[in-house]
Amino acid sequence: MTRTLNLWNARLGRVPEDLWARTGLESLVLAGNGLTRLPPGIAALRRLHTLDLGHNALTELPAEIGALPALDRFLYVHDNRLRSLPDTLTRLASLAYLNVGENPLTRLPDGLGAMAGLVELRARGCGLTALPPSVGALGRLRELWLGDNALGTLPGPLGRLAELRLLDLRNNRLEAVPGVLRGLPRLARLDLRGNRVRELPEWLAELPRLEKLDLRWNPLTEGGEGSRALGELVRRGCVVLW
């Protein structure tokens, strides 16, 4: 029996009921099928390590999605109509890659930090106004994509993400470079395009691994400590766009 089933853009309209009998499946792609509902029968696929539900019309996810013990690689639910995520999702403690972007979520689960295996989290274009403080418990996280939201601040615990390499904050409502970023030892790419930042902090030059800093489309003022910090970054070889 094949372990992978790719039904991408197959115009299904609904999930075939006989799918749940294929309990040996390890990778299932149902993206681009106009699905409006994911039946709780998904719980039968206990060997799944990858599930792609992107580009559908789902308005909710069943609680059973958090009861898939082998789901440790990819879960894509981007570009749907989800207004919330089930709390059971946070039981996927071994999941490495999660994409919930392009959904009208407005918030992420408070227990997000329980998903300790996450290496990459994408939540672009979700209308987020805040992040749960538990995000700071994602000790393995390397990439955090939060562009096209409505974030005005970041929670203090985010500064504990010692493995974070990439942080995308483009097109939010930040009026300053968040101070919680100051202690991130491995941050290499920081995207702050399209925010409301006027002044830059001197500590930007203290980020030891910063390789690219994008500040375009901010109402930045010239001169002062921020300009000196940018000059130091450029001398160090960092690509600065502004």
Side-chain angles (χ1 to χ4, degrees):
M1 179 183 294
T2 180
R3 297 180 179 179
T4 299
L5 180 59
N6 187 346
L7 295 171
W8 182 81
N9 203 25
R11 302 181 181 180
L12 295 175
R14 63 182 181 84
V15 181
E17 285 298 322
D18 60 358
L19 183 60
W20 313 131
R22 305 184 63 169
T23 55
L25 280 177
E26 296 180 0
S27 178
L28 175 60
V29 178
L30 290 170
N33 279 291
L35 303 179
T36 59
R37 179 175 177 267
L38 181 67
I42 189 72
L45 306 184
R46 296 180 60 80
R47 296 185 182 181
L48 275 187
H49 60 63
T50 294
L51 177 59
D52 187 350
L53 298 166
H55 308 297
N56 280 296
L58 299 171
T59 58
E60 62 179 1
L61 297 176
E64 288 78 4
I65 203 166
L68 296 173
L71 198 59
D72 62 357
R73 296 190 189 177
F74 303 93
L75 175 57
Y76 298 143
V77 295
H78 57 293
D79 189 21
N80 276 281
R81 300 174 185 174
L82 301 172
R83 293 191 174 276
S84 64
L85 298 171
D87 290 337
T88 55
L89 187 71
T90 63
R91 297 177 186 171
L92 300 176
S94 298
L95 186 68
Y97 298 89
L98 175 62
N99 189 347
V100 299
E102 300 169 83
N103 282 289
L105 292 172
T106 71
R107 61 180 294 272
L108 297 176
D110 291 337
L112 181 68
M115 304 182 75
L118 283 180
V119 174
E120 180 180 307
L121 173 59
R122 292 178 177 256
R124 294 182 60 184
C126 292
L128 302 178
T129 57
L131 296 178
S134 68
V135 69
L138 301 177
R140 298 181 184 178
L141 199 66
R142 294 191 175 199
E143 297 189 10
L144 182 54
W145 299 80
L146 297 169
D148 302 307
N149 282 293
L151 297 170
T153 60
L154 298 179
L158 190 141
R160 303 174 190 162
L161 299 180
E163 295 296 326
L164 196 66
R165 270 75 162 172
L166 180 150
L167 180 57
D168 173 17
L169 292 167
R170 76 181 80 174
N171 299 327
N172 275 281
R173 298 177 182 175
L174 297 168
E175 296 185 355
V177 181
V180 298
L181 307 184
R182 185 172 186 173
L184 297 179
R186 291 180 172 82
L187 189 63
R189 297 179 62 187
L190 176 58
D191 193 341
L192 288 165
R193 279 177 286 177
N195 278 279
R196 304 171 182 179
V197 178
R198 293 183 177 276
E199 303 287 341
L200 297 176
E202 188 175 12
W203 57 257
L204 273 174
E206 298 174 11
L207 293 172
R209 301 286 182 88
L210 200 60
E211 298 175 355
K212 184 176 181 180
L213 174 62
D214 200 332
L215 296 164
R216 289 175 290 175
W217 311 310
N218 280 283
L220 293 169
T221 56
E222 296 186 12
E225 296 178 350
S227 292
R228 289 194 292 272
L230 293 186
E232 176 59 29
L233 287 171
V234 170
R235 283 191 292 273
R236 226 173 60 196
C238 179
V239 175
V240 178
L241 303 174
W242 67 318

